[in-house]
Amino acid sequence: MNMECIKNCKLEETGFSYTMSLIQGKYKMFILYTLMGFGVVRFNEMKKYICGISYKTLSATLKELEADGLVNRKEYPQIPPKVEYSLTERGKSLIPILDQMCEWGEKNK
């Protein structure tokens, strides 16, 4: 890695910084990983898959991921309400990165 390049740039203007702004947060990667593994997931299922997350935090985090174009929310007009979440094409483009993180973790834990 060329350290001169890093020294002369504004880190907050890099692609790395942009990517981190989308995926950093206590539960964002867990949500993306869950959607990567299960495809389409309902809200309460997601809550069960991610231990320790509150309903409020899950809802807020899903809204952020949806606003960033990584997660798709599909609401069905029925009673009781049914909402499903899945990765958008943009979100799916993160799958190779998530896979590599999983592989690294398995090798180095």
Side-chain angles (χ1 to χ4, degrees), residues 6 8 16 36 40 43 49 59-60 65-66 77-78 83 90 92 99 101 107:
I6 291 174
N8 294 327
F16 174 79
M36 179 184 82
V40 177
F43 186 89
Y49 295 144
S59 178
L65 290 168
E66 183 182 10
Q78 66 184 49
V83 179
R90 186 174 189 211
K92 289 176 184 175
D99 281 339
M101 290 176 69
K107 290 178 185 174

Side-chain angles (χ1 to χ4, degrees), residues 33 97-109:
Y33 184 78
I97 295 167
L98 296 174
D99 281 339
Q100 288 179 348
M101 290 176 69
C102 291
E103 288 176 25
W104 188 91
E106 287 300 320
K107 290 178 185 174
N108 291 281
K109 66 178 177 181

Side-chain angles (χ1 to χ4, degrees), residues 39-61:
V40 177
V41 180
R42 293 180 66 179
F43 186 89
N44 285 330
E45 291 173 326
M46 182 96 56
K47 172 81 172 75
K48 290 177 187 174
Y49 295 144
I50 304 172
C51 298
I53 192 170
S54 69
Y55 288 103
K56 182 178 178 181
T57 300
L58 178 57
S59 178
T61 306

Side-chain angles (χ1 to χ4, degrees), residues 69-83:
L70 300 176
V71 170
N72 182 48
R73 180 181 189 271
K74 184 172 183 181
E75 189 173 340
Y76 295 89
Q78 66 184 49
I79 297 176
K82 178 181 175 183
V83 179

